């Protein structure tokens, strides 16, 4: 049973515009959420995280928003750059060190 | 460079072969993981070791056998695999004893079973 869902398999955005990636989860016990970025032939790399006690966390061009009542989080990238073209995974954990991942969203930034 | 190194990067093996994947982390972490990534699917957690003890086995077939001799090394022994086992196998590590920390991944081993 998939507890973390990324319903958009792909996203295409023009350079300089905002990329918005969405993630939904079903386990209300999740209390820590992460986004990972993955280039082809490489492992995922940690991008940004948010604890359930917050609703927003910002790091440079990346902002993660958490809506606990809707069990939804999103990642905003602004402005989008060509180097942002990658697969983005949403992940969540339930008060422990094990992560549940979504299926990923492939972002393509067009010049 | 994430501090987690996997070898080999690519592996092609027959269904009757026995091979092993190796993972090494230089981060001083206590928890290590094996994940499987198949095309268009979420990363599937296979095994978790925390302080060298296996704490999770997500109903993985016995043809996959993990080994964790110490906190820095993790192996995945493979035998009599099936073509559907072809996937990217990722190793990761994290602090382990602390909750809510990120995991660091290796570059993965691309496995093809023929």
């Amino acid at each position: 049973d998939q507890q973390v869902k990324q319903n958009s398999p792909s996203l295409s955005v023009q350079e300089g515009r905002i990329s918005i990636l969405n993630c939904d989860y079903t386990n209300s016990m999740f209390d820590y959420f992460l986004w990972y970025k993955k280039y082809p032939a490489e492992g995922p790399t940690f991008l940004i995280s948010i604890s359930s006690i917050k609703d927003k966390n910002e790091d440079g061009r990346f902002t993660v928003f958490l809506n606990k009542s809707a069990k939804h989080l999103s990642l905003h990238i602004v402005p989008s750059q060509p180097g942002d073209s990658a697969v983005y995974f949403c992940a969540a954990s339930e008060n422990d060190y094990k992560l549940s991942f979504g299926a990923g969203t492939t972002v393509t930034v067009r010049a | 460079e994430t501090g987690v190194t996997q070898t080999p990067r690519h592996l092609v093996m027959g269904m009757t072969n026995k091979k092993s994947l190796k993972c090494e982390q230089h981060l001083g972490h206590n928890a290590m993981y094996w994940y499987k990534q198949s095309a268009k699917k979420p990363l599937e957690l296979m095994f978790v070791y925390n302080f060298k003890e296996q704490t999770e086995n997500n109903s993985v077939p016995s043809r996959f056998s993990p080994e964790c001799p110490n906190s820095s090394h993790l192996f995945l022994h493979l035998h009599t695999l099936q073509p559907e086992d072809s996937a990217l196998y990722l190793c990761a590590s994290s602090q382990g004893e602390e909750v809510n920390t990120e995991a660091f991944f290796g570059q993965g081993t691309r496995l093809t079973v023929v």
Side-chain angles (χ1 to χ4, degrees), chain B residues 15-91:
Chain B
M15 289 188 285
T16 59
N17 291 158
K18 289 184 180 181
K19 296 287 184 183
S20 296
L21 310 185
K22 180 183 176 182
C23 177
E24 185 174 358
Q25 58 97 0
H26 307 277
L27 301 168
H29 289 164
N30 297 301
M32 296 189 77
Y33 314 76
W34 280 116
Y35 282 88
K36 175 184 178 183
Q37 187 191 9
S38 303
K40 309 299 183 187
K41 289 186 177 180
L43 274 71
E44 301 172 47
L45 180 63
M46 300 175 71
F47 301 104
V48 181
Y49 279 82
N50 195 25
F51 290 92
K52 300 186 298 178
E53 298 296 321
Q54 184 174 318
T55 60
E56 185 128 349
N57 175 342
N58 272 359
S59 303
V60 180
S62 59
R63 57 185 183 270
F64 295 91
S65 175
E67 179 190 359
C68 186
N70 54 61
S71 295
S72 300
H73 294 86
L74 184 65
F75 296 89
L76 187 62
H77 304 298
L78 316 171
H79 64 97
T80 60
L81 294 193
Q82 304 298 312
E84 58 265 29
D85 295 322
S86 299
L88 180 68
Y89 289 84
L90 290 160
C91 172

Side-chain angles (χ1 to χ4, degrees), chain A residues 32 36 41 43 89 97-98 101-102, chain B residues 9 33 37 42 56 96 100 103 106:
Chain A
Y32 190 59
Y36 281 82
F89 291 97
Y97 47 87
K98 298 189 291 287
F101 283 85
Chain B
R9 292 292 307 277
Y33 314 76
Q37 187 191 9
E56 185 128 349
N100 294 342

Side-chain angles (χ1 to χ4, degrees), chain A residues 25 27-34 50-54 66 68 91-98, chain B residues 99-100:
Chain A
Y25 60 95
N27 186 346
S28 58
M29 300 301 291
F30 283 148
D31 64 351
Y32 190 59
F33 304 88
L34 310 90
I50 187 168
S51 165
S52 60
I53 63 174
K54 295 185 175 182
L66 176 63
K68 290 187 290 293
S93 69
E94 181 187 334
N95 197 34
D96 65 12
Y97 47 87
K98 298 189 291 287
Chain B
V99 300
N100 294 342

Side-chain angles (χ1 to χ4, degrees), chain A residues 35-108:
Chain A
W35 285 95
Y36 281 82
K37 177 180 180 180
K38 184 182 182 302
Y39 292 117
E42 295 184 12
T45 55
F46 170 72
L47 195 56
I48 192 170
S49 64
I50 187 168
S51 165
S52 60
I53 63 174
K54 295 185 175 182
D55 55 17
K56 177 183 175 181
N57 188 25
E58 189 172 352
D59 183 2
R61 296 186 297 114
F62 303 92
T63 303
V64 56
F65 295 92
L66 176 63
N67 183 334
K68 290 187 290 293
S69 61
K71 296 192 182 67
H72 177 84
L73 69 156
S74 61
L75 175 68
H76 292 205
I77 307 173
V78 54
S80 299
Q81 299 174 354
D84 296 331
S85 296
V87 180
Y88 290 80
F89 291 97
C90 172
S93 69
E94 181 187 334
N95 197 34
D96 65 12
Y97 47 87
K98 298 189 291 287
L99 299 175
S100 297
F101 283 85
T105 297
T106 300
V107 172
T108 303

Side-chain angles (χ1 to χ4, degrees), chain A residues 4-22:
Chain A
V4 178
K5 299 179 182 179
Q6 294 176 256
N7 293 318
S8 298
S10 63
L11 172 69
S12 180
V13 63
Q14 193 166 9
E15 182 179 1
R17 306 295 289 269
I18 185 171
S19 295
I20 300 177
L21 292 82
N22 294 303

